[in-house]
Amino acid sequence: MTDVQTPATHPAPGVLSRIFRTEQDGAPGDGHEQVVLCHDRSSGLKAIIAIHSTALGPALGGTRFFPYASEEAALEDALNLSRGMSYKNALAGLDLGGGKAVIIGDPNKDKNEAMLRAYGRFVESLRGRYITACDVGTYVQDMDVIARETAFVTGRSPEHGGAGDSSILTAFGVFQGMRASAQARWGQPTLRGKRVGVAGVGKVGHYLVGHLVADGATVVVTDPFEAAVNRVRAAHPEVEVVADTAALLQAKLDVYAPCALGGALTDDVVSALGEFGTSIVCGAANNQLSHPGVEKDLADRGILYAPDYLVNSGGVIQVADEIDGFNFERAKNKATRIFDTTLEIFTRAASDGIPPAVAADRLAEKRMREISALRTVLLPAARRG
C-alpha cells in the first residue's frame, strides 16, 4: 500500500492524516479503497477511518469507541467492520458504500468534546466519501457534537433533525430476520413457545428482548454489565438471567442471538450449539463468524444461520433515511423488508447447496458489481449559463 500525506480540509493543530490506498483492479468489494489514521495530539484523539467500497455511493458506517489492546487490533476491527458495511448496505438496497471508524480509548473515561470535534474534522476532510453514525461506545449526543465540525454525520438527535437512536430499528430488523428464520425452520413466522437466548442486552439487545417477549418467546439473557441486566429485569421480570455465555449455550435454546461484539461464533461455541440442539443463530452483533469456514460448520450441524449483516441492517436503514429528511414510518417499512430478504437468502442457499452466509455474500457482490458497472455509461456534462 502507498502512504500518501493528505491535509485535512480544516486542519487542527497537531493533526496528522495518512491515507492508504489499495489497488482497484479487483471486483467491487475486494480490498479497501482508503484507510485514514487520525491523530490529534491536543485532544488525545487516535482514530482510524476505513472506507471499504464506494461502488454504490458514499461509504456509510458508524464510529466505534473502544479500548483496543493495540493499534493493530483497532485497525483489524475497522477493516472487518467496514467490509461488513459494504455488504450490509448492498443487501439493504441502499445507494451507499461501506465504511467504519474506530476511536481508540475508553469512552467512559477518555471521551470529551474536543476529541469528538477533532474527529469530526477528519470526517469533513474526506469531503463526503465517508458518512459516520453511532456504534458501540458512541451515542446520539456524540453525533450532535461531531456534527459541529462536519455535515457528513447521521444518527443525530431528533432535536437536530436526526433519526435518534438507531438501536430501535436494528433490533426490529433482527426480529424480522428471526421471524424469517422461524418460518424457514418451523413453517411459522413466530417465536411463540420457542426458547431464545440473547447474549448481550445493551443498546440493541434489550429492544430485541421486548420484541421476543411480546411474540410469546421464552427468553434467557446474559450480559457482563449488571446495569444492562437490571434494565431488562425491570421491564421484563419473566426473563431468565444466566451468569455468562457458557451458561447460556447450555440452556437448551431453540435460537441463539449474539448481540455483543464480533467473533462470537467460534468453533467451541458452534460445537456447544450443536451439542445442545440449537436450531437457529440470528443476532445483532457484527462479524459473528470468528473465521472462514464457521458458516459451513453451522450448516453441517443443521443450524440455520441468518447472516449478521443482513438481519442487523435496520439501524443503517434508519440513519440512511436521515440523509433525505428522516421519516420513522418510512424507515420502519424498509426495515420490515429484512424478513423477505432473509427468506430469499435461505431459498438461494438451499437451491445452490451453499451456506446462507455465502448466498448473502454473492447477492451483495452481484449488486455492487452491477451498479458499479453503470459508471461506464458516460453522462453528458452539465450545461453552463
Side-chain angles (χ1 to χ4, degrees):
M1 294 190 294
T2 305
D3 185 352
V4 182
Q5 297 287 337
T6 301
T9 305
H10 304 290
V15 170
L16 171 65
S17 178
R18 290 180 179 174
I19 295 180
F20 298 87
R21 299 186 185 277
T22 60
E23 295 298 327
Q24 298 299 300
D25 55 356
D30 290 343
H32 280 73
E33 293 182 12
Q34 190 173 2
V35 178
V36 183
L37 307 183
C38 314
H39 182 205
D40 176 50
R41 295 182 181 87
S42 63
S43 67
L45 173 73
K46 289 186 178 180
I48 300 169
I49 302 173
I51 297 175
H52 177 258
S53 171
T54 56
L56 296 177
L60 172 64
T63 297
R64 178 166 295 189
F65 204 131
F66 190 76
Y68 293 97
S70 65
E71 292 182 359
E72 289 75 13
L75 175 61
E76 181 178 3
D77 204 27
L79 295 177
N80 289 335
L81 290 167
S82 59
R83 180 182 185 276
M85 289 305 304
S86 291
Y87 285 72
K88 179 185 297 189
N89 292 339
L91 276 189
L94 301 175
D95 292 332
L96 294 163
K100 205 80 169 187
V102 299
I103 297 176
I104 303 171
D106 185 339
N108 298 315
K109 298 177 181 179
D110 302 326
K111 189 190 299 180
N112 57 63
E113 179 187 355
M115 181 181 290
L116 292 174
R117 292 183 69 160
Y119 169 69
R121 288 181 172 238
F122 276 104
V123 174
E124 181 68 19
S125 75
L126 294 173
R127 303 175 185 269
R129 281 178 53 75
Y130 170 66
I131 304 169
T132 196
C134 301
D135 197 78
V136 174
T138 59
Y139 301 87
V140 168
Q141 295 79 8
D142 300 326
M143 297 303 111
D144 284 342
V145 175
I146 292 168
R148 295 170 72 176
E149 301 293 340
T150 181
F152 304 110
V153 55
T154 59
R156 298 191 64 191
S157 66
E159 293 80 2
H160 289 88
D165 184 7
S166 63
S167 302
I168 295 172
L169 286 191
T170 302
F172 178 74
V174 172
F175 180 59
Q176 298 310 310
M178 201 176 289
R179 290 179 61 245
S181 301
Q183 171 76 53
R185 179 48 51 99
W186 300 304
Q188 295 291 330
T190 178
L191 284 304
R192 179 171 297 278
K194 302 302 180 182
R195 191 168 171 83
V196 182
V198 182
V201 287
K203 291 169 71 173
V204 176
H206 82 279
Y207 285 120
L208 178 60
V209 169
H211 290 300
L212 292 168
V213 169
D215 195 37
T218 298
V219 182
V220 189
V221 307
T222 190
D223 195 293
F225 297 102
E226 186 176 356
V229 171
N230 289 341
R231 177 173 58 177
V232 169
R233 277 178 164 153
H236 309 288
E238 69 273 36
V239 167
E240 180 183 346
V241 178
V242 296
D244 52 30
T245 301
L248 187 66
L249 295 172
Q250 298 176 40
K252 296 183 178 180
L253 306 171
D254 296 300
V255 182
Y256 176 55
C259 294
L261 296 177
L265 298 177
T266 65
D267 293 335
D268 289 341
V269 167
V270 172
S271 177
L273 292 172
E275 179 182 352
F276 293 103
T278 300
S279 294
I280 293 169
V281 172
C282 177
N286 287 308
N287 298 328
Q288 293 171 22
L289 304 177
S290 61
H291 63 81
V294 175
E295 71 282 0
K296 185 177 185 303
D297 194 13
L298 285 164
D300 289 345
R301 293 174 183 272
I303 300 171
L304 184 63
Y305 172 61
D308 48 50
Y309 67 82
L310 163 61
V311 301
N312 69 14
S313 61
V316 74
I317 290 171
Q318 178 171 329
V319 298
D321 193 82
E322 186 178 321
I323 296 171
D324 296 321
F326 183 63
N327 180 288
F328 182 80
E329 288 305 316
R330 179 177 62 199
K332 186 176 181 180
N333 287 338
K334 292 178 183 176
T336 301
R337 300 171 196 163
I338 292 172
F339 178 91
D340 296 323
T341 307
T342 304
L343 284 181
E344 180 184 355
I345 292 300
F346 291 152
T347 299
R348 284 173 174 261
S351 175
D352 296 345
I354 54 177
V358 177
D361 284 354
R362 289 182 180 177
L363 186 58
E365 289 164 359
K366 179 176 182 289
R367 182 165 185 258
M368 284 189 277
R369 184 169 57 250
E370 290 177 349
I371 302 304
S372 178
L374 295 178
R375 293 177 179 175
T376 62
V377 179
L378 182 63
L379 299 178
R383 295 183 62 182
R384 297 182 179 179

